[in-house]
Amino acid sequence: MSAPAASAVRNAAAAVCDPEFPGITIEDLGVLEDVRVGPGGVVSVDLLPTFLGCPALDVIAGDVEAAVATVPGVGDVSVRYLTAPAWTPERITAKGRDKLAAEFTVAIRRRDELSCPVCTSTAVEDVSPFGPTACRAVAYCPECRNPIEVMRR
Amino acid sequence: MRSWSSLDEFEAFIAADGIVEPVDDMPHQYRTELFRFIEMHANSELMGGLTERDYIPRAPGLVRKLGTLAKTQDEIGHAHLLYMVAADLGIKTRDEMLEDLYEGRSKFHNVFHYRVHTWADQVAIAYLVDAAALTTQQAVFKDCSYGPYRRILKRVIAEEGFHMRQGEEMLLRLADGTRAQHDLFQEALDRWWWPVMHFFGPPSKENDLLLRWRIKSATNEALRDRYVQKFVPQLHAYGFVVPDPDLHQDPATGKWVIGEIDWDPLRDTQANVGPDSARRIATARRGWDEASWVRDALEASAATAQGAG
């Protein structure tokens, strides 16, 4: 079988969604670092964990492996997590930012500024550095009175 | 800020898919019904998180321990967000809600009034109870009329979906395991099946205000039935026996029909006198009291930071 196209392999990996943010891909989140296709269709994928203790790491790696394996010509697939460079919320793409805000009421602090994903007010108040997941803190918008979550670095 | 000159006008707004926001001048009865509903949800997330927490040291293996730890954080985090939304309605403060919970004066879901005996019970909670919660939350989220609650539910549902995926994987491990593992889950199923049936709530009232005002969007019966149709075949496929001697398939429709439900156990849990209610509430109270020094330290630290800044 002929070698798989590198772009097709990358697209397959890039389309995998975060299990806790359906519709938001690992590419949107900046988790997908590198995809390499070697001789014999051997594929290696490098991912960056948002947090080392994230319970979704194995699930994401498994989903990436399964997605890449469906591309014709792909042989062995290996997925690994790198500890450098460190993932930061700046890695989230513009598309990812918009989707997180519009669909999940999750904000990203940019240049120390935080705007409310519901009403765009910048008067957002930090409430707790701990939210439902390791990667998110809790804040509150006094303008529209919605609790919101903020991606942590 | 919106306001409505009459209840009829408000109901017309709701009927036309309107979304109510905290800054709106909502009718008092809508506010109180909404508050009661969200307060119970918040209490249940907290009590559920504490159940989960008990199994962190006992989870079999590092992967399961990590999963249990993360799930505990999820549930407590959900409770935190929901208490914020509830407190914002101005009926009780967060401290008042917690005080009422720890004094046994408010409600939380029936499934958290039972004792967790084994790891298989924990799996039953992750697989059966979380799926039941997800079924009801999806029905609320679908067209909930209150903006902040709907926004939180979207994330809660995504996270509960992930818990279910973990729950199913844990169940498969027991289902495909040794005879002893298989039996362990069967025993858990025997304990949890009826509480899960109760979880969806008693037969609907006529003119349920929660439905009328789109605080929820499906009746208790409809949600229970949706769940039964999905989970009975799954449990059978894994080789388990549903502990209901009257369970059968309707020959005409092919739908699963469950036997008559005894509502007494649900009434007991609603009155906080279920099989494990007293111990659960006392444990939650003790945890809150013993952690008071952490809250004091955080407040003192925040006050110092403010003074310095």
Side-chain angles (χ1 to χ4, degrees):
Chain A
M1 197 182 276
S2 60
S7 60
V9 175
R10 174 151 185 121
N11 290 344
V16 169
C17 286
D18 182 290
E20 290 198 335
F21 288 131
I24 299 191
T25 68
I26 55 171
E27 176 152 74
D28 292 335
L29 292 173
V31 163
L32 183 64
E33 169 73 355
D34 194 25
V35 181
R36 293 176 303 278
V37 182
V42 171
V43 175
S44 339
V45 182
D46 292 343
L47 303 175
L48 303 181
T50 54
F51 276 78
L52 281 174
C54 172
L57 296 183
D58 288 344
V59 174
I60 294 173
D63 288 351
V64 168
E65 205 175 312
V68 169
T70 61
V71 178
V74 166
D76 284 345
V77 183
S78 65
V79 180
R80 60 175 185 167
Y81 282 98
L82 305 182
T83 47
W87 180 91
T88 67
E90 284 81 14
R91 294 184 58 96
I92 299 173
T93 63
K95 190 168 130 232
R97 268 200 310 273
D98 292 347
K99 278 203 237 173
L100 282 170
E103 289 168 36
F104 292 96
T105 329
V106 170
I108 292 139
R109 199 181 296 272
R110 298 177 73 199
R111 291 181 292 275
D112 274 343
E113 212 168 83
L114 195 56
S115 79
C116 172
V118 181
C119 71
T120 72
S121 160
T122 51
V124 177
E125 296 163 357
D126 288 323
V127 174
S128 164
F130 305 104
T133 70
C135 59
R136 278 149 35 201
V138 176
Y140 175 76
C141 175
E143 290 285 325
C144 67
R145 292 165 50 186
N146 273 271
I148 60 174
E149 289 181 56
V150 184
M151 294 300 292
R152 296 174 63 206
R153 61 186 57 249
Chain B
M1 184 185 104
R2 278 170 299 203
S3 62
W4 295 269
S5 59
S6 66
L7 191 62
D8 284 350
E9 206 183 284
F10 176 74
E11 289 195 331
F13 172 80
I14 295 285
D17 291 337
I19 303 280
V20 181
E21 294 294 340
V23 291
D24 293 339
D25 184 20
M26 62 193 93
H28 184 67
Q29 207 184 351
Y30 174 85
R31 188 183 290 276
T32 53
E33 290 288 331
L34 182 67
F35 171 76
R36 277 208 342 235
F37 194 79
I38 301 175
E39 182 191 28
M40 165 133 173
H41 186 179
N43 288 342
S44 305
E45 293 277 356
L46 176 55
M47 297 305 277
L50 295 177
T51 312
E52 205 72 42
R53 184 266 325 256
D54 292 346
Y55 265 78
I56 295 170
R58 295 183 245 177
L62 196 58
V63 173
R64 297 280 175 250
K65 197 186 284 288
L66 189 64
T68 310
L69 197 62
K71 210 176 142 196
T72 304
Q73 182 171 0
D74 261 8
E75 315 294 19
I76 303 294
H78 295 162
H80 182 200
L81 291 163
L82 291 165
Y83 280 125
M84 284 170 78
V85 173
D88 209 74
L89 287 164
I91 293 169
K92 288 186 205 169
T93 64
R94 193 174 79 142
D95 282 350
E96 285 166 346
M97 284 184 263
L98 291 173
E99 197 53 37
D100 283 351
L101 175 66
Y102 300 145
E103 287 304 310
R105 288 191 296 254
S106 56
K107 288 183 189 174
F108 53 96
H109 277 318
N110 74 307
V111 285
F112 303 123
H113 290 263
Y114 291 86
R115 189 92 196 216
V116 176
H117 297 272
T118 67
W119 173 250
D121 286 329
Q122 200 62 25
V123 175
I125 292 172
Y127 177 71
L128 292 173
V129 174
D130 281 14
L134 189 64
T135 307
T136 58
Q137 286 159 2
Q138 276 166 336
V140 174
F141 166 71
K142 214 172 116 243
D143 16 58
C144 180
S145 60
Y146 192 57
Y149 188 37
R150 194 182 171 120
R151 293 180 191 108
I152 287 173
L153 279 174
K154 173 108 191 220
R155 296 193 299 271
V156 169
I157 286 169
E159 280 152 23
E160 294 293 345
F162 181 59
H163 296 167
M164 267 191 66
R165 200 169 152 173
Q166 289 177 311
E168 193 162 10
E169 195 193 299
M170 295 191 292
L171 172 67
L172 267 174
R173 196 56 84 82
L174 294 181
D176 287 348
T178 60
R179 186 77 238 167
Q181 283 175 308
H182 199 276
D183 290 348
L184 201 67
F185 187 78
Q186 180 64 54
E187 285 162 22
L189 178 61
D190 293 345
R191 285 191 282 270
W192 291 91
W193 177 256
W194 287 108
V196 170
M197 291 298 102
H198 294 139
F199 175 86
F200 293 94
S204 302
K205 292 174 280 187
E206 262 186 49
N207 192 18
D208 187 339
L209 287 173
L210 295 174
L211 282 172
R212 190 178 163 117
W213 291 336
R214 287 192 295 110
I215 294 169
K216 62 183 194 183
S217 66
T219 64
N220 298 346
E221 294 86 340
L223 293 172
R224 184 162 32 240
D225 184 59
R226 197 176 296 169
Y227 181 90
V228 165
Q229 302 316 320
K230 185 172 169 199
F231 280 87
V232 166
Q234 277 193 21
L235 289 165
H236 286 168
Y238 290 137
F240 296 111
V241 180
V242 176
D244 175 356
D246 297 323
L247 177 74
H248 64 279
Q249 242 174 328
D250 185 309
T253 61
K255 286 184 79 170
W256 289 97
V257 181
I258 60 169
E260 205 182 319
I261 299 176
D262 169 13
W263 294 108
D264 287 346
L266 180 64
R267 274 189 281 272
D268 287 348
T269 59
Q270 285 174 333
N272 286 334
V273 291
D276 201 30
S277 310
R279 194 194 61 89
R280 293 277 192 142
I281 294 170
T283 307
R285 153 114 269 164
R286 198 171 61 238
W288 176 251
D289 291 344
E290 285 174 356
S292 66
W293 68 272
V294 179
R295 294 189 295 278
D296 292 346
L298 282 171
E299 265 169 36
S301 154
T304 312
Q306 217 159 32

